[in-house]
Amino acid sequence: MLNADLHCHSTASDGLLPAAEVARRAAQNGVELLALTDHDDLGGLAEARSVADELGMRFVNGVEISIEWGGLQVHILGFAFAADDQVLNTGLTSIRTGRVDRARRMAAELDRIGIHGCYEGAMRHAENSNLISRSHFARYLVEAGVCKDVRSVFESYIVPGRPGYVDHRWATLADSVGWILGAGGVAAVAHPGRYKLSRLEMRLLLDEFKSLGGQAIEVVSGSHSAENVTSFARLAREYGFMASCGSDFHGPGESYVDLGRLAPLPQGLTPVWEAF
Ligand code: AMP
Ligand code: MN
Ligand code: MN
Ligand code: MN
């Protein structure tokens, strides 16, 4: 089976390594097909592709689009699209603009409970200031001594029901799938095991995704348990979705799984790269 890693982040969003280093590390780890999938931003693609070309590693364009579905924050991956597509780029720009406003509201909430300077602090951790993310807040809260590591931040702060979390209107499922397909790409539901959805709600999400033209789901993911892999492999077969796999690598020390170090896809699935 091909060593494919179709989900990872660079400093163009909330990763810790520049896109060129992500590609270099992937090649070193034996990745044969890489997609860089920064959140809502295509800024790292050219650099990653050029390193991949240099090192003889296959590369496809990727993105991880932030949407709201059923009141939850859900992520939709796009692969192998034209990165210069106008509608896709305009859509991603609108999501990034919303992020800056959300970051100000998050900082105001944290300020209210006595944690000051979070907007500026998080911005200092954001290489791409247009792509301010909860990860940057988490890194600042660790730096400020509020929590011992990023993981603990996401247990006590900036998640629903905890201080620093604010509601936000992201794009819709229809927007994200439409932009990806319109740019000639393939859409996949990212790490479906991570959403707090009942079985029925998961089916509603997958039904709607499929009816919009979505063709794949992430089955093997750095944030999936072995149980998740089995159950989403079953759903992929049932829905006729292609299967994707990706580490969701954000950087050394901050990710469970390194680039290219994933379990293979279970038997009987069509890998999403057959569509590339
Ligand atoms: P945002 O897109 O700004 O809402 O930030 C979401 C990002 O926060 C995700 O892409 C992850 O990188 C990170 N994140 C979310 N939940 C966790 C968690 N439990 N542990 C570590 N990182 C997390
Ligand atoms: Mn992230
Ligand atoms: Mn995600
Ligand atoms: Mn991700």
Side-chain angles (χ1 to χ4, degrees), residues 123-179:
M123 275 297 182
R124 263 191 280 115
H125 285 269
E127 196 83 23
N128 175 0
S129 57
N130 288 319
L131 205 292
I132 183 76
S133 142
R134 283 186 292 155
S135 302
H136 303 119
F137 276 79
R139 289 170 196 151
Y140 171 69
L141 291 176
V142 173
E143 178 195 289
V146 175
C147 290
K148 69 175 194 310
D149 55 25
V150 160
R151 206 157 295 161
S152 352
V153 175
F154 282 99
E155 277 158 20
S156 308
Y157 298 93
I158 64 174
V159 289
R162 297 285 183 171
Y165 186 83
V166 299
D167 280 330
H168 185 64
R169 294 245 143 227
W170 299 99
T172 66
L173 182 62
D175 289 334
S176 63
V177 176
W179 298 339

Short mmCIF file of all heavy atoms in Angstrom, two decimals, residues 123-179:
data_model
loop_
_atom_site.label_atom_id
_atom_site.label_comp_id
_atom_site.label_asym_id
_atom_site.label_seq_id
_atom_site.Cartn_x
_atom_site.Cartn_y
_atom_site.Cartn_z
N MET A 123 -1.44 36.17 18.71
CA MET A 123 -0.94 36.68 17.43
C MET A 123 0.57 36.49 17.31
O MET A 123 1.09 36.23 16.23
CB MET A 123 -1.28 38.17 17.28
CG MET A 123 -2.66 38.43 16.72
SD MET A 123 -2.83 37.78 15.04
CE MET A 123 -4.52 38.27 14.67
N ARG A 124 1.27 36.60 18.43
CA ARG A 124 2.72 36.41 18.37
C ARG A 124 3.07 34.98 17.96
O ARG A 124 4.13 34.73 17.40
CB ARG A 124 3.35 36.73 19.74
CG ARG A 124 3.91 38.14 19.80
CD ARG A 124 4.76 38.36 21.04
NE ARG A 124 3.92 38.62 22.20
CZ ARG A 124 3.83 37.81 23.27
NH1 ARG A 124 4.54 36.69 23.32
NH2 ARG A 124 3.05 38.13 24.27
N HIS A 125 2.17 34.04 18.24
CA HIS A 125 2.42 32.65 17.85
C HIS A 125 1.93 32.34 16.44
O HIS A 125 2.15 31.23 15.95
CB HIS A 125 1.74 31.70 18.84
CG HIS A 125 2.45 31.60 20.15
ND1 HIS A 125 3.43 30.64 20.38
CD2 HIS A 125 2.37 32.33 21.28
CE1 HIS A 125 3.90 30.80 21.61
NE2 HIS A 125 3.28 31.81 22.18
N ALA A 126 1.25 33.29 15.83
CA ALA A 126 0.68 33.04 14.50
C ALA A 126 1.59 33.63 13.43
O ALA A 126 1.66 34.85 13.28
CB ALA A 126 -0.72 33.63 14.41
N GLU A 127 2.26 32.75 12.72
CA GLU A 127 3.13 33.19 11.62
C GLU A 127 2.29 33.93 10.57
O GLU A 127 2.69 34.94 10.03
CB GLU A 127 3.77 31.94 11.00
CG GLU A 127 4.95 32.20 10.14
CD GLU A 127 6.24 32.34 10.97
OE1 GLU A 127 6.29 31.84 12.12
OE2 GLU A 127 7.16 32.96 10.45
N ASN A 128 1.11 33.36 10.31
CA ASN A 128 0.17 33.96 9.37
C ASN A 128 -0.91 34.64 10.20
O ASN A 128 -1.82 33.99 10.70
CB ASN A 128 -0.41 32.83 8.49
CG ASN A 128 -1.50 33.33 7.55
OD1 ASN A 128 -1.84 34.51 7.53
ND2 ASN A 128 -2.05 32.41 6.77
N SER A 129 -0.81 35.96 10.33
CA SER A 129 -1.71 36.66 11.27
C SER A 129 -3.16 36.66 10.78
O SER A 129 -4.08 36.94 11.54
CB SER A 129 -1.23 38.10 11.48
OG SER A 129 -1.16 38.74 10.24
N ASN A 130 -3.37 36.33 9.51
CA ASN A 130 -4.74 36.21 9.00
C ASN A 130 -5.38 34.90 9.41
O ASN A 130 -6.56 34.70 9.24
CB ASN A 130 -4.74 36.26 7.47
CG ASN A 130 -4.44 37.64 6.98
OD1 ASN A 130 -4.92 38.62 7.53
ND2 ASN A 130 -3.60 37.73 5.95
N LEU A 131 -4.56 33.98 9.90
CA LEU A 131 -5.09 32.66 10.19
C LEU A 131 -4.89 32.40 11.67
O LEU A 131 -4.12 31.54 12.09
CB LEU A 131 -4.37 31.60 9.33
CG LEU A 131 -5.13 30.31 9.04
CD1 LEU A 131 -5.32 29.48 10.31
CD2 LEU A 131 -6.50 30.60 8.40
N ILE A 132 -5.56 33.21 12.48
CA ILE A 132 -5.43 33.07 13.92
C ILE A 132 -6.35 31.94 14.38
O ILE A 132 -7.51 31.88 13.99
CB ILE A 132 -5.70 34.42 14.63
CG1 ILE A 132 -5.50 34.32 16.12
CG2 ILE A 132 -7.08 34.98 14.28
CD1 ILE A 132 -4.06 34.30 16.54
N SER A 133 -5.79 31.03 15.17
CA SER A 133 -6.50 29.80 15.50
C SER A 133 -6.47 29.56 17.00
O SER A 133 -5.66 30.15 17.72
CB SER A 133 -5.81 28.66 14.74
OG SER A 133 -5.76 27.49 15.50
N ARG A 134 -7.36 28.70 17.46
CA ARG A 134 -7.35 28.33 18.88
C ARG A 134 -6.01 27.72 19.28
O ARG A 134 -5.60 27.80 20.43
CB ARG A 134 -8.50 27.38 19.19
CG ARG A 134 -9.84 28.10 19.29
CD ARG A 134 -10.93 27.16 19.74
NE ARG A 134 -11.22 26.17 18.73
CZ ARG A 134 -11.75 24.97 18.99
NH1 ARG A 134 -12.00 24.59 20.23
NH2 ARG A 134 -12.01 24.14 18.00
N SER A 135 -5.32 27.06 18.32
CA SER A 135 -4.00 26.50 18.64
C SER A 135 -3.04 27.60 19.09
O SER A 135 -2.22 27.39 19.98
CB SER A 135 -3.39 25.83 17.41
OG SER A 135 -4.24 24.83 16.95
N HIS A 136 -3.12 28.77 18.45
CA HIS A 136 -2.22 29.87 18.84
C HIS A 136 -2.58 30.38 20.22
O HIS A 136 -1.69 30.72 21.01
CB HIS A 136 -2.28 30.98 17.78
CG HIS A 136 -1.93 30.50 16.40
ND1 HIS A 136 -2.81 30.58 15.34
CD2 HIS A 136 -0.82 29.90 15.91
CE1 HIS A 136 -2.24 30.06 14.26
NE2 HIS A 136 -1.04 29.64 14.58
N PHE A 137 -3.86 30.43 20.52
CA PHE A 137 -4.28 30.79 21.89
C PHE A 137 -3.72 29.76 22.88
O PHE A 137 -3.22 30.11 23.95
CB PHE A 137 -5.81 30.85 22.00
CG PHE A 137 -6.39 32.16 21.57
CD1 PHE A 137 -6.54 32.45 20.22
CD2 PHE A 137 -6.76 33.12 22.50
CE1 PHE A 137 -7.07 33.67 19.81
CE2 PHE A 137 -7.30 34.35 22.09
CZ PHE A 137 -7.45 34.62 20.75
N ALA A 138 -3.84 28.49 22.52
CA ALA A 138 -3.38 27.42 23.42
C ALA A 138 -1.89 27.57 23.70
O ALA A 138 -1.43 27.46 24.84
CB ALA A 138 -3.69 26.06 22.80
N ARG A 139 -1.12 27.84 22.64
CA ARG A 139 0.33 27.99 22.83
C ARG A 139 0.64 29.20 23.72
O ARG A 139 1.56 29.14 24.56
CB ARG A 139 1.04 28.10 21.47
CG ARG A 139 1.01 26.76 20.74
CD ARG A 139 1.49 26.84 19.30
NE ARG A 139 1.07 25.62 18.59
CZ ARG A 139 0.81 25.55 17.30
NH1 ARG A 139 0.94 26.62 16.53
NH2 ARG A 139 0.43 24.42 16.76
N TYR A 140 -0.14 30.27 23.55
CA TYR A 140 0.07 31.44 24.42
C TYR A 140 -0.29 31.10 25.87
O TYR A 140 0.43 31.50 26.80
CB TYR A 140 -0.73 32.65 23.93
CG TYR A 140 -0.68 33.77 24.95
CD1 TYR A 140 0.53 34.45 25.17
CD2 TYR A 140 -1.78 34.11 25.72
CE1 TYR A 140 0.61 35.45 26.13
CE2 TYR A 140 -1.71 35.11 26.68
CZ TYR A 140 -0.50 35.77 26.88
OH TYR A 140 -0.42 36.75 27.84
N LEU A 141 -1.37 30.38 26.10
CA LEU A 141 -1.77 30.05 27.47
C LEU A 141 -0.72 29.17 28.16
O LEU A 141 -0.52 29.26 29.37
CB LEU A 141 -3.15 29.38 27.49
CG LEU A 141 -4.32 30.31 27.12
CD1 LEU A 141 -5.64 29.55 27.08
CD2 LEU A 141 -4.42 31.49 28.09
N VAL A 142 -0.04 28.34 27.39
CA VAL A 142 1.06 27.55 27.95
C VAL A 142 2.24 28.47 28.28
O VAL A 142 2.78 28.45 29.38
CB VAL A 142 1.51 26.44 26.97
CG1 VAL A 142 2.76 25.72 27.48
CG2 VAL A 142 0.37 25.44 26.75
N GLU A 143 2.58 29.33 27.31
CA GLU A 143 3.68 30.28 27.52
C GLU A 143 3.42 31.16 28.75
O GLU A 143 4.33 31.45 29.53
CB GLU A 143 3.80 31.16 26.27
CG GLU A 143 4.86 32.25 26.32
CD GLU A 143 4.63 33.27 25.20
OE1 GLU A 143 4.85 32.93 24.03
OE2 GLU A 143 4.22 34.40 25.50
N ALA A 144 2.15 31.57 28.94
CA ALA A 144 1.81 32.46 30.06
C ALA A 144 1.71 31.71 31.39
O ALA A 144 1.44 32.31 32.42
CB ALA A 144 0.49 33.17 29.75
N GLY A 145 1.91 30.39 31.34
CA GLY A 145 1.91 29.60 32.58
C GLY A 145 0.52 29.26 33.09
O GLY A 145 0.36 28.77 34.21
N VAL A 146 -0.49 29.46 32.24
CA VAL A 146 -1.87 29.14 32.67
C VAL A 146 -2.09 27.62 32.66
O VAL A 146 -2.79 27.07 33.51
CB VAL A 146 -2.90 29.85 31.75
CG1 VAL A 146 -4.33 29.45 32.09
CG2 VAL A 146 -2.73 31.37 31.86
N CYS A 147 -1.50 26.94 31.69
CA CYS A 147 -1.61 25.48 31.58
C CYS A 147 -0.24 24.90 31.29
O CYS A 147 0.63 25.59 30.77
CB CYS A 147 -2.54 25.09 30.44
SG CYS A 147 -4.27 25.47 30.73
N LYS A 148 -0.08 23.60 31.60
CA LYS A 148 1.25 23.00 31.43
C LYS A 148 1.54 22.60 29.99
O LYS A 148 2.68 22.58 29.56
CB LYS A 148 1.44 21.81 32.38
CG LYS A 148 0.61 20.58 32.07
CD LYS A 148 1.01 19.44 33.03
CE LYS A 148 0.50 18.08 32.62
NZ LYS A 148 -0.92 17.96 32.29
N ASP A 149 0.50 22.27 29.23
CA ASP A 149 0.70 21.96 27.81
C ASP A 149 -0.58 22.24 27.01
O ASP A 149 -1.63 22.52 27.59
CB ASP A 149 1.19 20.51 27.60
CG ASP A 149 0.25 19.49 28.24
OD1 ASP A 149 -0.95 19.80 28.40
OD2 ASP A 149 0.71 18.38 28.54
N VAL A 150 -0.42 22.16 25.70
CA VAL A 150 -1.53 22.50 24.80
C VAL A 150 -2.74 21.59 25.05
O VAL A 150 -3.89 22.04 25.04
CB VAL A 150 -1.03 22.40 23.34
CG1 VAL A 150 -2.18 22.26 22.36
CG2 VAL A 150 -0.19 23.63 22.99
N ARG A 151 -2.46 20.34 25.29
CA ARG A 151 -3.55 19.38 25.53
C ARG A 151 -4.40 19.82 26.72
O ARG A 151 -5.62 19.76 26.68
CB ARG A 151 -2.94 18.00 25.79
CG ARG A 151 -3.86 16.87 25.45
CD ARG A 151 -3.04 15.60 25.17
NE ARG A 151 -2.21 15.75 23.98
CZ ARG A 151 -1.14 14.97 23.72
NH1 ARG A 151 -0.75 14.05 24.57
NH2 ARG A 151 -0.46 15.17 22.60
N SER A 152 -3.74 20.25 27.79
CA SER A 152 -4.53 20.66 28.97
C SER A 152 -5.32 21.93 28.70
O SER A 152 -6.38 22.13 29.28
CB SER A 152 -3.67 20.86 30.23
OG SER A 152 -2.37 20.45 30.06
N VAL A 153 -4.80 22.80 27.84
CA VAL A 153 -5.58 23.99 27.49
C VAL A 153 -6.92 23.56 26.92
O VAL A 153 -7.98 24.07 27.32
CB VAL A 153 -4.85 24.89 26.47
CG1 VAL A 153 -5.74 26.06 26.05
CG2 VAL A 153 -3.52 25.40 27.02
N PHE A 154 -6.89 22.58 25.99
CA PHE A 154 -8.13 22.15 25.34
C PHE A 154 -9.02 21.32 26.27
O PHE A 154 -10.12 20.92 25.90
CB PHE A 154 -7.83 21.40 24.04
CG PHE A 154 -7.47 22.32 22.90
CD1 PHE A 154 -6.14 22.54 22.54
CD2 PHE A 154 -8.46 22.99 22.18
CE1 PHE A 154 -5.81 23.38 21.49
CE2 PHE A 154 -8.14 23.84 21.12
CZ PHE A 154 -6.81 24.04 20.78
N GLU A 155 -8.55 21.03 27.47
CA GLU A 155 -9.43 20.39 28.45
C GLU A 155 -10.15 21.45 29.30
O GLU A 155 -11.28 21.23 29.72
CB GLU A 155 -8.63 19.44 29.36
CG GLU A 155 -8.43 18.07 28.70
CD GLU A 155 -7.25 17.30 29.27
OE1 GLU A 155 -6.82 17.62 30.40
OE2 GLU A 155 -6.75 16.39 28.58
N SER A 156 -9.48 22.57 29.55
CA SER A 156 -10.04 23.53 30.52
C SER A 156 -10.49 24.85 29.91
O SER A 156 -11.24 25.60 30.54
CB SER A 156 -8.99 23.84 31.59
OG SER A 156 -8.50 22.64 32.14
N TYR A 157 -10.01 25.16 28.72
CA TYR A 157 -10.32 26.46 28.10
C TYR A 157 -10.64 26.28 26.63
O TYR A 157 -10.35 25.23 26.05
CB TYR A 157 -9.10 27.41 28.21
CG TYR A 157 -8.69 27.73 29.63
CD1 TYR A 157 -7.71 26.97 30.27
CD2 TYR A 157 -9.30 28.76 30.34
CE1 TYR A 157 -7.34 27.24 31.58
CE2 TYR A 157 -8.93 29.05 31.65
CZ TYR A 157 -7.95 28.28 32.26
OH TYR A 157 -7.59 28.55 33.56
N ILE A 158 -11.21 27.33 26.05
CA ILE A 158 -11.43 27.51 24.60
C ILE A 158 -12.14 26.35 23.90
O ILE A 158 -12.03 26.20 22.69
CB ILE A 158 -10.13 27.92 23.85
CG1 ILE A 158 -9.04 26.85 23.88
CG2 ILE A 158 -9.59 29.26 24.38
CD1 ILE A 158 -7.80 27.21 23.00
N VAL A 159 -12.82 25.50 24.66
CA VAL A 159 -13.71 24.48 24.06
C VAL A 159 -15.13 24.75 24.57
O VAL A 159 -15.28 25.41 25.60
CB VAL A 159 -13.26 23.03 24.39
CG1 VAL A 159 -11.98 22.69 23.64
CG2 VAL A 159 -13.09 22.82 25.89
N PRO A 160 -16.15 24.27 23.86
CA PRO A 160 -17.53 24.58 24.26
C PRO A 160 -17.77 24.33 25.75
O PRO A 160 -17.36 23.30 26.29
CB PRO A 160 -18.37 23.63 23.40
CG PRO A 160 -17.54 23.44 22.16
CD PRO A 160 -16.11 23.44 22.63
N GLY A 161 -18.38 25.29 26.41
CA GLY A 161 -18.68 25.16 27.83
C GLY A 161 -17.56 25.63 28.74
O GLY A 161 -17.71 25.64 29.96
N ARG A 162 -16.43 26.01 28.17
CA ARG A 162 -15.28 26.45 28.96
C ARG A 162 -14.94 27.90 28.65
O ARG A 162 -15.26 28.40 27.57
CB ARG A 162 -14.06 25.56 28.65
CG ARG A 162 -14.25 24.12 29.04
CD ARG A 162 -14.16 23.99 30.53
NE ARG A 162 -14.27 22.60 30.93
CZ ARG A 162 -14.06 22.19 32.19
NH1 ARG A 162 -13.72 23.06 33.12
NH2 ARG A 162 -14.18 20.91 32.49
N PRO A 163 -14.23 28.57 29.58
CA PRO A 163 -13.88 29.98 29.33
C PRO A 163 -13.06 30.16 28.05
O PRO A 163 -12.20 29.34 27.74
CB PRO A 163 -13.00 30.34 30.55
CG PRO A 163 -13.30 29.32 31.59
CD PRO A 163 -13.74 28.08 30.87
N GLY A 164 -13.37 31.23 27.35
CA GLY A 164 -12.60 31.56 26.15
C GLY A 164 -13.20 30.98 24.89
O GLY A 164 -12.72 31.26 23.79
N TYR A 165 -14.25 30.14 25.03
CA TYR A 165 -14.90 29.62 23.82
C TYR A 165 -16.02 30.57 23.43
O TYR A 165 -16.81 30.96 24.28
CB TYR A 165 -15.46 28.22 24.04
CG TYR A 165 -16.00 27.63 22.74
CD1 TYR A 165 -15.15 27.02 21.83
CD2 TYR A 165 -17.35 27.74 22.42
CE1 TYR A 165 -15.62 26.52 20.63
CE2 TYR A 165 -17.84 27.24 21.22
CZ TYR A 165 -16.96 26.63 20.34
OH TYR A 165 -17.43 26.14 19.15
N VAL A 166 -16.08 30.95 22.18
CA VAL A 166 -17.19 31.78 21.71
C VAL A 166 -17.82 31.12 20.49
O VAL A 166 -17.14 30.45 19.72
CB VAL A 166 -16.71 33.22 21.34
CG1 VAL A 166 -16.12 33.94 22.54
CG2 VAL A 166 -15.71 33.19 20.19
N ASP A 167 -19.13 31.29 20.36
CA ASP A 167 -19.80 30.77 19.16
C ASP A 167 -19.31 31.53 17.94
O ASP A 167 -18.93 32.69 18.04
CB ASP A 167 -21.32 30.95 19.29
CG ASP A 167 -21.91 29.84 20.15
OD1 ASP A 167 -21.34 28.73 20.15
OD2 ASP A 167 -22.91 30.10 20.83
N HIS A 168 -19.32 30.86 16.83
CA HIS A 168 -18.85 31.52 15.62
C HIS A 168 -19.56 30.95 14.41
O HIS A 168 -19.82 29.75 14.35
CB HIS A 168 -17.33 31.34 15.48
CG HIS A 168 -16.76 32.09 14.32
ND1 HIS A 168 -16.79 33.46 14.24
CD2 HIS A 168 -16.18 31.67 13.18
CE1 HIS A 168 -16.24 33.85 13.10
NE2 HIS A 168 -15.86 32.78 12.44
N ARG A 169 -19.88 31.82 13.45
CA ARG A 169 -20.48 31.37 12.19
C ARG A 169 -19.37 31.11 11.18
O ARG A 169 -18.73 32.03 10.70
CB ARG A 169 -21.41 32.45 11.61
CG ARG A 169 -22.62 32.71 12.44
CD ARG A 169 -23.92 32.32 11.71
NE ARG A 169 -24.83 31.76 12.69
CZ ARG A 169 -25.53 30.65 12.55
NH1 ARG A 169 -25.44 29.95 11.46
NH2 ARG A 169 -26.32 30.23 13.50
N TRP A 170 -19.16 29.84 10.87
CA TRP A 170 -18.17 29.49 9.85
C TRP A 170 -18.90 29.39 8.51
O TRP A 170 -20.05 29.81 8.40
CB TRP A 170 -17.51 28.16 10.20
CG TRP A 170 -16.78 28.16 11.49
CD1 TRP A 170 -17.25 27.68 12.68
CD2 TRP A 170 -15.46 28.66 11.77
NE1 TRP A 170 -16.30 27.86 13.66
CE2 TRP A 170 -15.19 28.44 13.13
CE3 TRP A 170 -14.48 29.26 10.98
CZ2 TRP A 170 -13.99 28.81 13.72
CZ3 TRP A 170 -13.27 29.62 11.57
CH2 TRP A 170 -13.04 29.40 12.92
N ALA A 171 -18.26 28.81 7.54
CA ALA A 171 -18.93 28.52 6.27
C ALA A 171 -19.94 27.38 6.51
O ALA A 171 -19.99 26.81 7.59
CB ALA A 171 -17.91 28.11 5.22
N THR A 172 -20.74 27.08 5.51
CA THR A 172 -21.66 25.94 5.61
C THR A 172 -21.05 24.73 4.89
O THR A 172 -20.10 24.86 4.12
CB THR A 172 -23.02 26.25 4.95
OG1 THR A 172 -22.80 26.41 3.54
CG2 THR A 172 -23.63 27.53 5.52
N LEU A 173 -21.67 23.57 5.15
CA LEU A 173 -21.24 22.35 4.45
C LEU A 173 -21.38 22.54 2.93
O LEU A 173 -20.47 22.18 2.17
CB LEU A 173 -22.10 21.17 4.94
CG LEU A 173 -21.77 19.81 4.35
CD1 LEU A 173 -20.34 19.37 4.70
CD2 LEU A 173 -22.77 18.75 4.84
N ALA A 174 -22.49 23.13 2.53
CA ALA A 174 -22.72 23.34 1.09
C ALA A 174 -21.67 24.27 0.48
O ALA A 174 -21.17 24.02 -0.62
CB ALA A 174 -24.12 23.90 0.85
N ASP A 175 -21.32 25.34 1.22
CA ASP A 175 -20.25 26.24 0.74
C ASP A 175 -18.97 25.44 0.49
O ASP A 175 -18.39 25.50 -0.59
CB ASP A 175 -19.87 27.29 1.82
CG ASP A 175 -20.92 28.36 2.05
OD1 ASP A 175 -21.69 28.63 1.11
OD2 ASP A 175 -20.95 28.92 3.17
N SER A 176 -18.54 24.73 1.54
CA SER A 176 -17.22 24.09 1.47
C SER A 176 -17.15 23.07 0.34
O SER A 176 -16.21 23.07 -0.45
CB SER A 176 -16.86 23.45 2.82
OG SER A 176 -17.76 22.41 3.14
N VAL A 177 -18.17 22.21 0.26
CA VAL A 177 -18.15 21.18 -0.80
C VAL A 177 -18.25 21.85 -2.17
O VAL A 177 -17.53 21.48 -3.11
CB VAL A 177 -19.28 20.14 -0.58
CG1 VAL A 177 -19.32 19.14 -1.73
CG2 VAL A 177 -19.09 19.41 0.75
N GLY A 178 -19.09 22.87 -2.25
CA GLY A 178 -19.24 23.58 -3.53
C GLY A 178 -17.94 24.22 -4.00
O GLY A 178 -17.58 24.13 -5.17
N TRP A 179 -17.24 24.86 -3.08
CA TRP A 179 -15.96 25.51 -3.46
C TRP A 179 -14.95 24.47 -3.95
O TRP A 179 -14.23 24.70 -4.92
CB TRP A 179 -15.35 26.25 -2.26
CG TRP A 179 -16.17 27.36 -1.71
CD1 TRP A 179 -17.17 28.06 -2.35
CD2 TRP A 179 -16.08 27.91 -0.38
NE1 TRP A 179 -17.69 29.01 -1.49
CE2 TRP A 179 -17.05 28.95 -0.29
CE3 TRP A 179 -15.28 27.65 0.74
CZ2 TRP A 179 -17.24 29.70 0.88
CZ3 TRP A 179 -15.46 28.40 1.89
CH2 TRP A 179 -16.42 29.41 1.96
#
